Amino acid sequence: MKSIAYVASLLALASAAPGIAQTALPSFSEPSLSPDAATIAFVSGGDIWEVPASGGAAHLLVSDAATEGRPFYSPDGTRIAFTSTRDGGNANIYVLDLPSARLTRITYGEVNEELDGWSPDGKFLYFASSANNIGRFTDVMRVPA
């Protein structure tokens, strides 16, 4: 397996070479493993994708002109909570029911909210928000899922 330093040096060398066409590489971030470890949800291009953990083709789960992020599977694996800027610019929390594809908005914050995860029983979502503080310090909050 190539080291990160080795790969970084190759990328730096390639970017410094004049006359060589550059191709943008896709960006994959914020991976979340399903409870059964069979599937990975991740963010790419501001959308949420899902791919088998064993490898294979990814498919699009959530797409909008807004930016989606921080996907988290529910403990039973039937839902994915995530943040989205789709309703006004601030990141709020949404839940996608995987079997029905039903999307539910959970929070209506006036500031960005940072999703942290599910409660073990799947009844609550935890997130960080500075909405209730004058100094905009962050509080950890819980909301019914």
Side-chain angles (χ1 to χ4, degrees), residues 78-113:
T78 63
R79 297 173 289 167
I80 291 183
F82 62 95
T83 59
S84 178
T85 60
R86 65 181 57 215
D87 286 321
N90 293 317
N92 279 280
I93 300 170
Y94 293 78
V95 172
L96 174 67
D97 181 73
L98 293 170
S100 69
R102 183 174 155 231
L103 186 63
T104 304
R105 185 173 179 176
I106 303 296
T107 63
Y108 293 82
E110 295 178 2
V111 298
N112 288 331
E113 295 171 338

Side-chain angles (χ1 to χ4, degrees), residues 13 96 143:
L13 180 63
L96 174 67
V143 64

Side-chain angles (χ1 to χ4, degrees), residues 45-58:
D47 296 322
I48 298 176
W49 296 75
E50 193 175 52
V51 65
S54 60

Side-chain angles (χ1 to χ4, degrees), residues 25-141:
L25 298 175
S27 169
F28 308 105
S29 63
E30 303 176 352
S32 176
L33 186 62
S34 64
D36 63 2
T39 310
I40 300 169
F42 64 93
V43 175
S44 182
D47 296 322
I48 298 176
W49 296 75
E50 193 175 52
V51 65
S54 60
H59 69 277
L60 190 59
L61 278 181
V62 180
S63 181
D64 191 82
T67 300
E68 276 79 35
R70 297 195 56 82
F72 284 93
Y73 284 95
S74 63
D76 65 3
T78 63
R79 297 173 289 167
I80 291 183
F82 62 95
T83 59
S84 178
T85 60
R86 65 181 57 215
D87 286 321
N90 293 317
N92 279 280
I93 300 170
Y94 293 78
V95 172
L96 174 67
D97 181 73
L98 293 170
S100 69
R102 183 174 155 231
L103 186 63
T104 304
R105 185 173 179 176
I106 303 296
T107 63
Y108 293 82
E110 295 178 2
V111 298
N112 288 331
E113 295 171 338
E114 182 86 13
L115 182 61
D116 293 317
W118 293 82
S119 63
D121 62 7
K123 292 182 181 180
F124 298 98
L125 290 163
Y126 294 95
F127 65 98
S129 177
S130 61
N132 294 333
N133 285 312
I134 295 171
R136 297 292 186 204
F137 294 104
T138 302
D139 289 326
V140 175
M141 301 183 164

